[in-house]
Amino acid sequence: MNPLLATLGGKLTERWLNSLVLPGALFLATTAVGAVLGHRHWHDVDRLRTTLDDLAARPALDRTGTAALLVALVLLTATAASLGAQFLGSGIERWRLRFGRDPYSRARTARRARRWRQRDAELTLAIEHAHPAGTGPDGAGTSANGALTRVLALTEARDRIALREPSRPTWYGDRMQAAADRVEAAYGVDLAVLWPRLWLILPEPAVGRIQSAHDSFGAAARLAAWAVGYALLACWWWPAAAAAVGCAVVARSRARSALDALAGLIEAAVDVHGRELAARIGLLSPEAPGRLTQDTGDDMSALFRKAE
């Protein structure tokens, strides 16, 4: 039992240090440097060194109890800062996936929809004017390659807005909505009511991969929260703005990649295990061949909604 408790304690301590103490300690160190230097002396290393020497020369720090109390205070403050970032990150995660009906959200959705339709019209026009690839050295092949490159570029530009015409104020919400629309178009089932039941029968490897993608999306939201913290710190020490911009850029890239992977895994789970769920609730025979049909999907949605 003692080795087991020691192992668990070591893992918990490692997780506490990596996820809470280290990010918070880095933020506290940056805050301390910014408070000492400020805008006017932002690069004055000698000023920082002098401040540290004066602090180390104080007699109170020679006492073991005072030093231990200071270390504990730093650890607690770093942990509190990380918990604050996690709380703000949860809010950012919900904000990214929101389906707002307030005037701001409706205006943002309408603006994104206009941009998407504009990009889609440009893409349609480029496809119509694209020429088939040439086979000779007369330049036709080069022209066709240029047209194909333009089509691919316009497709990427449109998909950066949304895979389908936007119906939500953010790309993240539209990406999950696109997954739900694709599932409903293929199987006639409402993903919102299907997913909690499907989650219960997924095998461990599928659960692990989906949970990993979701955790990555949450980690990106927490990184965005740190970007907010460093942006506030930049009001006192402007070099912190570089850290804020870096965190924001990385957080956005990771969030998009993680949510795209999560939406794809959810679709794949329905593709692979949707029929198994229909068989378990008695809508299909386990031995009967075939795929999940629209009629079965409609029956599943009606059953899960508790429709009378």
Side-chain angles (χ1 to χ4, degrees):
M1 181 61 70
N2 288 335
L4 176 61
L5 293 177
T7 302
L8 291 177
K11 290 183 178 180
L12 289 176
T13 302
E14 181 180 0
R15 184 174 181 180
W16 174 63
L17 287 173
N18 292 335
S19 62
L20 293 178
V21 175
L22 292 181
L26 179 60
F27 182 75
L28 288 182
T30 308
T31 302
V33 172
V36 171
L37 299 182
H39 292 308
R40 180 176 298 179
H41 307 283
W42 65 272
H43 65 301
D44 193 346
V45 179
D46 291 334
R47 182 186 181 91
L48 181 62
R49 185 183 302 113
T50 301
T51 302
L52 292 176
D53 291 340
D54 293 341
L55 181 63
R58 293 186 178 183
L61 293 181
D62 293 336
R63 303 172 185 172
T64 304
T66 303
L69 183 61
L70 182 61
V71 171
L73 180 62
V74 170
L75 292 177
L76 289 176
T77 307
T79 302
S82 295
L83 291 176
Q86 289 187 1
F87 178 78
L88 180 58
S90 299
I92 292 174
E93 186 176 350
R94 291 192 297 270
W95 180 86
R96 284 172 169 172
L97 295 174
R98 75 191 189 282
F99 187 75
R101 299 184 181 277
D102 56 282
Y104 171 77
S105 297
R106 289 198 298 266
R108 181 177 172 84
T109 302
R111 184 169 61 252
R112 296 182 65 250
R114 286 195 300 270
R115 291 177 55 209
W116 188 92
R117 287 193 294 268
Q118 180 182 356
R119 295 288 189 273
D120 189 61
E122 293 174 358
L123 175 60
T124 302
L125 187 62
I127 293 175
E128 291 176 352
H129 288 80
H131 299 286
T135 56
D138 55 356
T142 303
S143 176
N145 290 335
L148 179 60
T149 302
R150 175 171 170 76
V151 167
L152 293 176
L154 289 173
T155 302
E156 183 178 355
R158 184 197 63 181
D159 290 347
R160 278 199 300 268
I161 301 173
L163 296 183
R164 297 188 176 186
E165 183 171 344
S167 60
R168 295 196 178 193
T170 64
W171 179 91
Y172 308 95
D174 277 325
R175 181 63 185 91
M176 296 303 295
Q177 186 63 47
D181 292 343
R182 286 159 61 93
V183 168
E184 186 172 7
Y187 306 115
V189 65
D190 185 356
L191 183 60
V193 298
L194 172 75
W195 184 249
R197 286 84 178 175
L198 185 63
W199 180 258
L200 297 176
I201 68 169
L202 290 179
E204 187 61 32
V207 171
R209 295 194 63 180
I210 293 172
Q211 190 64 51
S212 177
H214 182 268
D215 291 344
S216 297
F217 182 62
R222 290 192 296 274
L223 186 59
W226 284 117
V228 174
Y230 283 109
L232 293 177
L233 180 58
C235 296
W236 289 270
W237 189 53
W238 70 262
V245 172
C247 289
V249 171
V250 174
R252 183 177 184 273
S253 175
R254 289 183 177 178
R256 287 206 169 204
S257 299
L259 193 73
D260 190 53
L262 178 61
L265 288 170
I266 289 174
E267 283 191 53
V270 177
D271 294 336
V272 176
H273 300 284
R275 193 180 187 284
E276 178 185 353
L277 178 61
R280 288 201 178 192
I281 62 176
L283 295 179
L284 289 177
S285 172
E287 294 81 12
R291 58 188 294 273
L292 188 63
T293 62
Q294 289 274 349
D295 292 338
T296 305
D298 291 338
D299 293 339
M300 291 173 69
S301 296
L303 177 62
F304 294 152
R305 293 191 188 109
K306 307 296 188 296
E308 296 180 359

